[in-house]
Amino acid sequence: MSENGTAEAVDPDALVARVQDLTQQLEAIEDPGVRELAEELTAAIVQMYGAGLERTVAAIAAAGPDGQKIMDALTQDGVVASLLLIHDLYPISVEERVLEALERVRPYMESHGGNVEFLGVHEGVAHLRLQGSCKTCSASSSTLELAVRQALEEAAPDLEGMDVEGVFEDEEEAAPPVLDVLKQPSWFALETAPAPEQLVGAEVAGVPLVVANVEGTLLAYRDGCAACGAPLRGGELSAGALTCPGCSRSFFLPRAGRSLDSDGLQLDPVPLLREGEVVRVALSP
């Protein structure tokens, strides 16, 4: 509380970091009796707040349509949503949230010749199957799995894990020239996204990118022509085909940036996820 009696704003990220730090300190206590007592106290406090939260949710639900509006707003708040998930009070089932997450990532999957099938959730683990053919495609099943995993972590953090079966045909032949995105990848938000049928250049974590909006689907590539190495920003985008301003070769973005000149060349795709107004790309640090 502040000096005037009002509640001070709490940084959710700082609070999470504090909880993690205290948990590590608790686990480091050598005296087993003291550690067990502290763990029991923590569990009791969590249960007490959970019971209060359960009554709060029940009261909101009893308010009818007005209560539903309040609940919808609360589930959009990351901190509140996390508490609801911890206490198994989130109003949307994990299966529904997994399906919604897969729908968000499906355009990226399809742009690289693949797809993903939801097989169900068993004992907290989401079971998926990758589908498609990725011959001559630099987006391997591992790259696509990365995008799926990120989508599920955001939509269903209460999942115990993710089990993926199926690989793309001829993946061994399609060893990507650049897959450093798989080395400790991190997700970065784009400051701006292109309007429909537009191409924009962006630099994310020091990496030059081009991001295109093709019929409402956002696609990201490293900003370098596969033929001449020239920057692609400033190139002409027409019906999904991007023409390099340096050598005039054309690459079809909705199909993993494959060259339209039948020379086997291909641009370097970058995993991209769209979450409402927020767009993220995956890159190595």
Side-chain angles (χ1 to χ4, degrees), residues 122-200:
H122 180 64
E123 295 183 350
V125 177
H127 295 268
L128 312 171
R129 178 185 294 124
L130 291 180
Q131 301 172 331
S133 173
C134 205
K135 186 175 182 179
T136 71
C137 174
S138 60
S140 69
S141 59
S142 297
T143 311
L144 300 182
E145 181 180 335
L146 172 66
V148 173
R149 188 175 299 277
Q150 172 68 14
L152 293 191
E153 287 177 352
E154 291 185 354
D158 49 330
L159 281 173
E160 297 293 332
M162 184 178 91
D163 180 68
V164 181
E165 63 181 65
V167 296
F168 287 99
E169 301 170 9
D170 303 317
E171 187 176 345
E172 293 183 359
E173 299 179 19
V178 180
L179 264 187
D180 54 349
V181 70
L182 297 180
K183 300 175 183 177
Q184 299 180 349
S186 298
W187 289 83
F188 302 88
L190 288 177
E191 293 184 0
T192 58
E197 312 312 317
Q198 286 188 351
L199 177 81
V200 298

Side-chain angles (χ1 to χ4, degrees), residues 14-29:
L15 185 58
V16 171
R18 178 63 174 157
V19 170
Q20 293 175 341
D21 179 60
L22 290 173
T23 301
Q24 292 175 355
Q25 293 184 44
L26 174 60
E27 294 174 348
I29 295 177

Side-chain angles (χ1 to χ4, degrees), residues 48 76 108 110-111 125 127 142 146 189 197 236 248 278-279:
M48 180 180 67
Q76 298 302 312
Y108 172 76
E110 293 176 345
S111 73
V125 177
H127 295 268
S142 297
L146 172 66
E197 312 312 317
E236 181 182 353
S248 298
V278 179
V279 179

Side-chain angles (χ1 to χ4, degrees), residues 46-56 87:
V46 171
Q47 291 175 357
M48 180 180 67
Y49 279 102
L53 186 60
E54 183 176 2
R55 294 187 180 188
T56 301
H87 296 286

Side-chain angles (χ1 to χ4, degrees), residues 2-258:
S2 63
E3 294 181 357
N4 60 10
T6 60
E8 295 181 351
V10 178
D11 181 355
D13 292 335
L15 185 58
V16 171
R18 178 63 174 157
V19 170
Q20 293 175 341
D21 179 60
L22 290 173
T23 301
Q24 292 175 355
Q25 293 184 44
L26 174 60
E27 294 174 348
I29 295 177
E30 295 183 0
D31 189 320
V34 174
R35 187 172 61 249
E36 182 178 354
L37 180 61
E39 290 174 348
E40 289 183 1
L41 174 60
T42 302
I45 293 174
V46 171
Q47 291 175 357
M48 180 180 67
Y49 279 102
L53 186 60
E54 183 176 2
R55 294 187 180 188
T56 301
V57 170
I60 293 174
D66 291 337
Q68 185 60 50
K69 292 179 181 179
I70 295 175
M71 182 56 67
D72 290 342
L74 290 176
T75 56
Q76 298 302 312
D77 184 293
V79 176
V80 178
S82 297
L83 291 175
L84 293 173
L85 288 169
I86 290 174
H87 296 286
D88 198 25
L89 296 171
Y90 200 83
I92 304 175
S93 69
V94 65
E95 288 83 3
E96 290 179 272
R97 286 182 277 124
V98 169
L99 286 171
E100 290 176 359
L102 295 182
E103 286 304 311
R104 289 198 300 271
V105 78
R106 202 176 303 280
Y108 172 76
M109 304 283 290
E110 293 176 345
S111 73
H112 296 289
N115 208 333
V116 58
E117 179 184 1
F118 176 51
L119 303 178
V121 175
H122 180 64
E123 295 183 350
V125 177
H127 295 268
L128 312 171
R129 178 185 294 124
L130 291 180
Q131 301 172 331
S133 173
C134 205
K135 186 175 182 179
T136 71
C137 174
S138 60
S140 69
S141 59
S142 297
T143 311
L144 300 182
E145 181 180 335
L146 172 66
V148 173
R149 188 175 299 277
Q150 172 68 14
L152 293 191
E153 287 177 352
E154 291 185 354
D158 49 330
L159 281 173
E160 297 293 332
M162 184 178 91
D163 180 68
V164 181
E165 63 181 65
V167 296
F168 287 99
E169 301 170 9
D170 303 317
E171 187 176 345
E172 293 183 359
E173 299 179 19
V178 180
L179 264 187
D180 54 349
V181 70
L182 297 180
K183 300 175 183 177
Q184 299 180 349
S186 298
W187 289 83
F188 302 88
L190 288 177
E191 293 184 0
T192 58
E197 312 312 317
Q198 286 188 351
L199 177 81
V200 298
E203 186 165 313
V204 181
V207 179
L209 304 176
V210 287
V211 184
N213 187 325
V214 181
E215 296 183 354
T217 297
L218 296 182
L219 304 167
Y221 293 86
R222 290 178 182 258
D223 189 7
C225 176
C228 69
L232 293 167
R233 61 186 69 192
E236 181 182 353
L237 178 64
S238 177
L242 174 60
T243 301
C244 172
C247 65
S248 298
R249 276 187 171 85
S250 294
F251 302 90
F252 193 53
L253 301 187
R255 283 294 173 263
R258 294 186 178 97

